[in-house]
Amino acid sequence: MNEQQLFAYLGKQLEPDGDSALAPLRLAPWKPETGPYHKVQFVIEIAGSNLIPGDRARELLEPTVRASFGEPEVYVMAPGERRWRPLWSGDNSMTFDSMALAWDFVTSSGKLTAASASELWKRAEQYASALGRRAFPLPPPEDAAKAADNLEQVRDALDIGVDVLLRTLEPRLDLTALVVAAYEVGFRMGSSGVLEWRQSGWPEPLLTILPDEGDEVFGVDAPIRGVDIGFTVPCSPDPEQSLERLFTAAERIGAKMDLPVLTEEGEPLSESAKSNIRKMLAAALDTFDRIQLKPGSAEALRLFEP
Protein backbone atom coordinates (compact mmCIF):
# COMPACT_ATOMS: atom_id res chain seq x y z
CA MET A 1 0.00 0.00 0.00
CA ASN A 2 1.39 3.40 -0.93
CA GLU A 3 0.24 6.77 0.39
CA GLN A 4 -2.12 7.44 -2.51
CA GLN A 5 -3.85 4.12 -1.95
CA LEU A 6 -3.98 4.79 1.79
CA PHE A 7 -5.68 8.16 1.38
CA ALA A 8 -8.12 6.68 -1.12
CA TYR A 9 -9.03 3.96 1.38
CA LEU A 10 -9.45 6.46 4.22
CA GLY A 11 -11.30 8.95 2.05
CA LYS A 12 -9.12 11.80 3.28
CA GLN A 13 -5.56 13.01 3.47
CA LEU A 14 -3.60 12.97 6.70
CA GLU A 15 -1.15 15.56 8.02
CA PRO A 16 1.07 15.86 11.12
CA ASP A 17 -0.48 17.37 14.22
CA GLY A 18 1.48 20.44 15.30
CA ASP A 19 1.18 19.54 18.98
CA SER A 20 2.07 15.88 18.55
CA ALA A 21 4.65 15.92 15.74
CA LEU A 22 8.17 14.86 16.63
CA ALA A 23 10.84 17.53 16.82
CA PRO A 24 13.44 17.13 14.06
CA LEU A 25 16.89 15.84 14.87
CA ARG A 26 19.68 18.39 15.14
CA LEU A 27 21.82 17.31 12.21
CA ALA A 28 24.64 18.93 10.32
CA PRO A 29 23.75 19.69 6.68
CA TRP A 30 23.92 16.47 4.71
CA LYS A 31 26.55 16.41 2.01
CA PRO A 32 26.55 13.45 -0.37
CA GLU A 33 29.86 11.63 -0.09
CA THR A 34 31.65 10.40 -3.17
CA GLY A 35 33.78 7.27 -3.26
CA PRO A 36 35.89 5.39 -3.54
CA TYR A 37 35.26 4.26 0.04
CA HIS A 38 38.52 2.74 1.19
CA LYS A 39 37.16 1.53 4.55
CA VAL A 40 34.65 -0.78 2.88
CA GLN A 41 35.93 -1.16 -0.69
CA PHE A 42 38.77 -2.83 -2.53
CA VAL A 43 40.16 -0.07 -4.73
CA ILE A 44 42.50 -0.31 -7.69
CA GLU A 45 43.92 2.95 -8.97
CA ILE A 46 44.90 3.14 -12.63
CA ALA A 47 47.95 5.35 -12.16
CA GLY A 48 50.40 6.92 -14.56
CA SER A 49 51.34 10.08 -16.41
CA ASN A 50 49.52 9.33 -19.68
CA LEU A 51 46.07 10.87 -19.96
CA ILE A 52 43.20 8.40 -20.28
CA PRO A 53 41.03 9.02 -23.36
CA GLY A 54 37.43 9.60 -22.39
CA ASP A 55 36.15 6.98 -24.83
CA ARG A 56 38.47 4.33 -23.36
CA ALA A 57 37.29 5.16 -19.87
CA ARG A 58 33.62 4.98 -20.83
CA GLU A 59 34.18 1.50 -22.30
CA LEU A 60 34.21 0.27 -18.70
CA LEU A 61 30.54 1.23 -18.40
CA GLU A 62 29.44 -1.05 -21.24
CA PRO A 63 27.53 -3.96 -19.67
CA THR A 64 29.69 -6.78 -21.07
CA VAL A 65 32.95 -4.99 -20.28
CA ARG A 66 31.79 -4.01 -16.80
CA ALA A 67 30.70 -7.58 -16.12
CA SER A 68 34.11 -8.88 -17.18
CA PHE A 69 35.67 -6.59 -14.56
CA GLY A 70 33.37 -7.81 -11.79
CA GLU A 71 30.91 -4.89 -11.92
CA PRO A 72 33.19 -2.21 -10.45
CA GLU A 73 32.25 1.32 -9.60
CA VAL A 74 34.39 3.62 -11.72
CA TYR A 75 35.66 6.94 -10.37
CA VAL A 76 37.56 9.56 -12.34
CA MET A 77 39.10 12.99 -12.21
CA ALA A 78 39.55 15.15 -15.28
CA PRO A 79 42.60 17.41 -15.58
CA GLY A 80 42.31 20.23 -13.04
CA GLU A 81 39.86 18.37 -10.77
CA ARG A 82 40.80 17.49 -7.20
CA ARG A 83 37.95 15.22 -6.12
CA TRP A 84 36.81 11.85 -7.37
CA ARG A 85 33.46 11.62 -9.12
CA PRO A 86 31.56 8.62 -10.48
CA LEU A 87 31.98 8.06 -14.20
CA TRP A 88 28.71 7.89 -16.12
CA SER A 89 27.85 7.29 -19.75
CA GLY A 90 26.88 10.93 -20.36
CA ASP A 91 30.24 12.26 -19.20
CA ASN A 92 31.69 13.99 -22.26
CA SER A 93 35.17 14.70 -20.87
CA MET A 94 37.82 14.25 -23.53
CA THR A 95 40.44 12.91 -21.12
CA PHE A 96 40.95 11.92 -17.50
CA ASP A 97 44.16 12.04 -15.50
CA SER A 98 42.98 9.79 -12.65
CA MET A 99 40.86 6.64 -12.47
CA ALA A 100 39.96 4.19 -9.75
CA LEU A 101 37.91 0.99 -9.79
CA ALA A 102 36.14 -0.06 -6.60
CA TRP A 103 34.35 -3.18 -5.34
CA ASP A 104 32.63 -3.61 -1.96
CA PHE A 105 34.53 -5.97 0.32
CA VAL A 106 31.26 -7.43 1.58
CA THR A 107 27.93 -7.64 -0.25
CA SER A 108 24.66 -9.46 0.27
CA SER A 109 25.95 -12.20 -2.02
CA GLY A 110 29.30 -12.78 -0.35
CA LYS A 111 32.71 -11.29 0.38
CA LEU A 112 35.91 -10.63 -1.50
CA THR A 113 38.56 -13.36 -1.35
CA ALA A 114 42.29 -13.15 -2.02
CA ALA A 115 41.82 -15.12 -5.24
CA SER A 116 39.05 -12.86 -6.53
CA ALA A 117 40.99 -9.72 -5.56
CA SER A 118 44.05 -11.07 -7.40
CA GLU A 119 41.98 -11.76 -10.50
CA LEU A 120 40.49 -8.27 -10.43
CA TRP A 121 44.00 -6.84 -10.11
CA LYS A 122 45.17 -8.92 -13.06
CA ARG A 123 42.36 -7.66 -15.29
CA ALA A 124 42.85 -4.09 -14.15
CA GLU A 125 46.57 -4.37 -14.89
CA GLN A 126 45.82 -5.54 -18.43
CA TYR A 127 43.53 -2.58 -18.93
CA ALA A 128 46.04 -0.16 -17.42
CA SER A 129 48.92 -1.55 -19.49
CA ALA A 130 47.05 -0.82 -22.71
CA LEU A 131 46.86 2.81 -21.57
CA GLY A 132 50.54 2.99 -20.63
CA ARG A 133 49.64 2.97 -16.95
CA ARG A 134 49.87 0.64 -13.93
CA ALA A 135 47.19 -0.81 -11.65
CA PHE A 136 47.83 -0.38 -7.93
CA PRO A 137 45.58 -2.36 -5.53
CA LEU A 138 44.63 -0.71 -2.25
CA PRO A 139 45.14 -2.81 -0.21
CA PRO A 140 47.03 -5.77 -1.75
CA PRO A 141 44.84 -8.85 -2.42
CA GLU A 142 45.90 -10.74 0.73
CA ASP A 143 45.11 -7.75 2.92
CA ALA A 144 41.87 -7.16 1.01
CA ALA A 145 40.70 -10.66 1.95
CA LYS A 146 41.52 -9.99 5.60
CA ALA A 147 39.66 -6.68 5.44
CA ALA A 148 36.64 -8.49 3.97
CA ASP A 149 36.73 -11.06 6.77
CA ASN A 150 36.93 -8.32 9.39
CA LEU A 151 34.10 -6.32 7.85
CA GLU A 152 31.90 -9.40 7.65
CA GLN A 153 32.42 -9.91 11.38
CA VAL A 154 31.67 -6.23 12.02
CA ARG A 155 28.49 -6.43 9.98
CA ASP A 156 27.32 -9.56 11.79
CA ALA A 157 28.16 -8.21 15.25
CA LEU A 158 26.98 -4.61 14.87
CA ASP A 159 23.87 -4.91 12.71
CA ILE A 160 21.94 -3.63 15.70
CA GLY A 161 18.35 -2.50 15.65
CA VAL A 162 16.52 -0.74 18.46
CA ASP A 163 12.78 -1.42 18.61
CA VAL A 164 9.88 -0.87 20.95
CA LEU A 165 6.52 -2.56 20.58
CA LEU A 166 2.86 -1.59 20.61
CA ARG A 167 0.49 -4.49 21.29
CA THR A 168 -3.25 -4.94 21.62
CA LEU A 169 -5.12 -7.58 23.59
CA GLU A 170 -7.90 -7.44 21.00
CA PRO A 171 -8.01 -10.00 18.16
CA ARG A 172 -6.50 -7.43 15.81
CA LEU A 173 -4.99 -3.97 15.83
CA ASP A 174 -7.07 -1.08 14.52
CA LEU A 175 -4.85 -0.21 11.55
CA THR A 176 -6.83 2.88 10.64
CA ALA A 177 -6.36 4.31 14.12
CA LEU A 178 -2.69 3.38 14.02
CA VAL A 179 -2.09 5.14 10.72
CA VAL A 180 -3.94 8.26 11.85
CA ALA A 181 -1.94 8.37 15.09
CA ALA A 182 1.33 7.76 13.24
CA TYR A 183 0.62 10.58 10.80
CA GLU A 184 -0.16 12.96 13.66
CA VAL A 185 3.27 12.20 15.10
CA GLY A 186 4.93 12.80 11.73
CA PHE A 187 5.17 9.41 10.02
CA ARG A 188 4.09 8.90 6.41
CA MET A 189 3.43 5.81 4.34
CA GLY A 190 6.50 5.21 2.21
CA SER A 191 6.46 3.85 -1.32
CA SER A 192 7.55 0.48 0.07
CA GLY A 193 4.40 0.19 2.23
CA VAL A 194 6.19 1.01 5.50
CA LEU A 195 5.33 3.88 7.81
CA GLU A 196 8.42 6.11 7.89
CA TRP A 197 9.54 9.15 9.82
CA ARG A 198 11.84 11.17 7.59
CA GLN A 199 13.58 14.50 7.84
CA SER A 200 14.53 16.87 5.07
CA GLY A 201 18.26 16.70 4.50
CA TRP A 202 18.65 12.99 5.27
CA PRO A 203 18.06 10.42 2.50
CA GLU A 204 16.88 7.48 4.61
CA PRO A 205 14.01 6.98 7.10
CA LEU A 206 15.02 7.86 10.65
CA LEU A 207 12.32 5.67 12.24
CA THR A 208 10.04 3.01 10.79
CA ILE A 209 6.87 1.26 11.92
CA LEU A 210 6.51 -2.35 10.81
CA PRO A 211 3.86 -5.03 11.40
CA ASP A 212 5.01 -7.43 14.08
CA GLU A 213 4.01 -10.51 12.10
CA GLY A 214 3.32 -11.67 8.56
CA ASP A 215 4.24 -9.31 5.75
CA GLU A 216 6.76 -6.54 6.34
CA VAL A 217 4.41 -3.99 4.79
CA PHE A 218 0.96 -2.77 5.73
CA GLY A 219 -2.19 -3.92 3.98
CA VAL A 220 -5.66 -2.54 4.42
CA ASP A 221 -6.97 -5.61 6.22
CA ALA A 222 -3.76 -7.03 7.68
CA PRO A 223 -4.77 -9.10 10.75
CA ILE A 224 -1.94 -8.04 13.06
CA ARG A 225 -1.94 -7.52 16.81
CA GLY A 226 0.97 -5.12 17.07
CA VAL A 227 3.74 -3.13 15.47
CA ASP A 228 7.44 -2.57 15.98
CA ILE A 229 8.79 0.99 15.95
CA GLY A 230 12.52 1.35 15.57
CA PHE A 231 15.67 2.12 13.66
CA THR A 232 18.97 0.52 12.68
CA VAL A 233 21.89 1.91 14.67
CA PRO A 234 24.65 1.80 12.01
CA CYS A 235 22.39 3.53 9.46
CA SER A 236 21.31 6.37 11.73
CA PRO A 237 22.98 9.80 11.44
CA ASP A 238 22.54 10.27 15.21
CA PRO A 239 21.51 7.10 17.08
CA GLU A 240 21.23 8.81 20.45
CA GLN A 241 18.80 11.47 19.22
CA SER A 242 16.93 8.85 17.19
CA LEU A 243 16.47 6.76 20.33
CA GLU A 244 14.82 9.64 22.19
CA ARG A 245 12.50 10.31 19.25
CA LEU A 246 11.68 6.60 19.21
CA PHE A 247 10.62 6.69 22.85
CA THR A 248 8.53 9.82 22.25
CA ALA A 249 6.88 8.46 19.09
CA ALA A 250 5.95 5.16 20.73
CA GLU A 251 4.53 6.83 23.81
CA ARG A 252 2.48 9.35 21.83
CA ILE A 253 1.06 6.75 19.46
CA GLY A 254 0.43 4.38 22.35
CA ALA A 255 -1.42 7.09 24.28
CA LYS A 256 -3.59 7.98 21.27
CA MET A 257 -4.54 4.32 20.81
CA ASP A 258 -4.62 3.34 24.48
CA LEU A 259 -1.96 0.68 23.87
CA PRO A 260 0.93 -0.34 26.14
CA VAL A 261 4.48 0.43 24.97
CA LEU A 262 6.78 -2.52 25.48
CA THR A 263 10.46 -3.34 25.13
CA GLU A 264 11.63 -5.99 22.67
CA GLU A 265 11.43 -8.44 25.57
CA GLY A 266 7.75 -7.61 26.11
CA GLU A 267 8.29 -5.66 29.33
CA PRO A 268 6.74 -2.22 29.93
CA LEU A 269 8.88 0.64 28.62
CA SER A 270 9.55 2.09 32.05
CA GLU A 271 12.14 4.76 32.83
CA SER A 272 14.41 1.97 34.06
CA ALA A 273 13.98 0.11 30.78
CA LYS A 274 14.78 3.28 28.85
CA SER A 275 17.94 3.73 30.90
CA ASN A 276 19.05 0.18 30.11
CA ILE A 277 18.45 0.69 26.39
CA ARG A 278 20.46 3.93 26.48
CA LYS A 279 23.36 2.10 28.15
CA MET A 280 23.31 -0.68 25.56
CA LEU A 281 23.30 1.88 22.77
CA ALA A 282 26.22 3.74 24.34
CA ALA A 283 28.22 0.50 24.48
CA ALA A 284 27.50 -0.17 20.81
CA LEU A 285 28.55 3.35 19.84
CA ASP A 286 31.81 2.89 21.76
CA THR A 287 32.50 -0.13 19.56
CA PHE A 288 31.82 1.90 16.42
CA ASP A 289 34.27 4.52 17.69
CA ARG A 290 36.95 1.89 18.28
CA ILE A 291 36.72 0.55 14.75
CA GLN A 292 36.46 4.09 13.32
CA LEU A 293 33.19 3.46 11.52
CA LYS A 294 30.69 6.27 12.02
CA PRO A 295 26.99 5.37 12.06
CA GLY A 296 25.20 7.07 9.21
CA SER A 297 28.38 7.48 7.15
CA ALA A 298 28.50 6.43 3.52
CA GLU A 299 30.68 3.48 4.54
CA ALA A 300 28.23 2.33 7.22
CA LEU A 301 25.25 2.67 4.87
CA ARG A 302 27.05 0.55 2.29
CA LEU A 303 28.08 -2.14 4.73
CA PHE A 304 24.74 -2.44 6.51
CA GLU A 305 22.48 -1.89 3.48
CA PRO A 306 19.53 0.09 4.87
Side-chain angles (χ1 to χ4, degrees):
M1 177 188 292
N2 57 35
E3 188 172 68
Q4 185 177 5
Q5 293 169 328
L6 172 66
F7 290 168
Y9 171 73
L10 295 176
K12 62 179 179 179
Q13 294 191 6
L14 302 176
E15 297 292 340
D17 182 303
D19 295 329
S20 299
L22 297 175
L25 302 188
R26 299 179 301 278
L27 300 178
W30 182 70
K31 297 180 180 179
E33 299 179 49
T34 300
Y37 307 98
H38 290 271
K39 289 183 180 180
V40 295
Q41 288 186 317
F42 176 51
V43 179
I44 297 179
E45 292 196 11
I46 308 299
S49 57
N50 295 341
L51 290 175
I52 302 169
D55 289 343
R56 290 300 309 275
R58 286 183 285 272
E59 287 177 1
L60 292 173
L61 302 180
E62 296 177 5
T64 55
V65 176
R66 189 165 180 266
S68 71
F69 278 83
E71 306 287 339
E73 294 175 6
V74 182
Y75 297 94
V76 293
M77 284 189 278
E81 294 180 340
R82 294 292 179 266
R83 298 188 66 179
W84 292 109
R85 56 183 171 85
L87 179 64
W88 68 294
S89 58
D91 191 321
N92 58 7
S93 299
M94 297 294 293
T95 59
F96 300 101
D97 63 5
S98 300
M99 175 183 285
L101 311 181
W103 300 261
D104 288 352
F105 284 123
V106 180
T107 69
S108 58
S109 58
K111 62 183 177 180
L112 193 72
T113 64
S116 58
S118 294
E119 181 60 27
L120 294 174
W121 182 20
K122 175 183 175 182
R123 297 182 186 185
E125 182 63 36
Q126 291 171 345
Y127 174 78
S129 179
L131 299 172
R133 290 190 159 216
R134 295 290 307 277
F136 291 92
L138 303 169
E142 289 293 334
D143 291 340
K146 294 176 183 177
D149 288 339
N150 291 338
L151 283 173
E152 185 179 52
Q153 294 176 22
V154 166
R155 185 189 64 181
D156 293 345
L158 293 178
D159 191 8
I160 302 167
V162 181
D163 295 275
V164 297
L165 319 177
L166 296 178
R167 294 290 182 272
T168 180
L169 297 177
E170 301 298 323
R172 60 189 297 166
L173 188 69
D174 184 341
L175 280 178
T176 297
L178 168 72
V179 170
V180 170
Y183 264 76
E184 289 179 352
V185 171
F187 286 81
R188 300 188 67 164
M189 184 68 74
S191 58
S192 62
V194 172
L195 286 165
E196 303 171 340
W197 183 59
R198 290 177 174 266
Q199 181 171 317
S200 177
W202 181 252
E204 302 294 335
L206 295 167
L207 298 174
T208 58
I209 302 178
L210 297 168
D212 70 342
E213 55 191 49
D215 293 337
E216 293 187 354
V217 297
F218 288 97
V220 172
D221 297 315
I224 61 173
R225 295 188 63 181
V227 293
D228 300 349
I229 309 177
F231 67 97
T232 302
V233 172
C235 299
S236 172
D238 193 318
E240 291 173 312
Q241 287 191 75
S242 295
L243 179 62
E244 299 309 315
R245 299 303 186 279
L246 169 59
F247 291 154
T248 301
E251 289 171 342
R252 288 179 181 174
I253 295 172
K256 290 174 183 294
M257 298 185 64
D258 194 24
L259 293 177
V261 183
L262 308 174
T263 67
E264 291 183 86
E265 292 74 30
E267 299 297 325
L269 186 67
S270 61
E271 289 304 315
S272 175
K274 290 181 186 178
S275 179
N276 289 335
I277 295 172
R278 291 185 183 107
K279 290 177 183 177
M280 289 188 288
L281 176 60
L285 295 180
D286 285 343
T287 302
F288 278 102
D289 284 341
R290 286 199 301 273
I291 64 174
Q292 298 183 334
L293 184 63
K294 180 178 173 57
S297 65
E299 291 88 352
L301 292 174
R302 279 176 166 269
L303 182 61
F304 292 93
E305 296 184 345

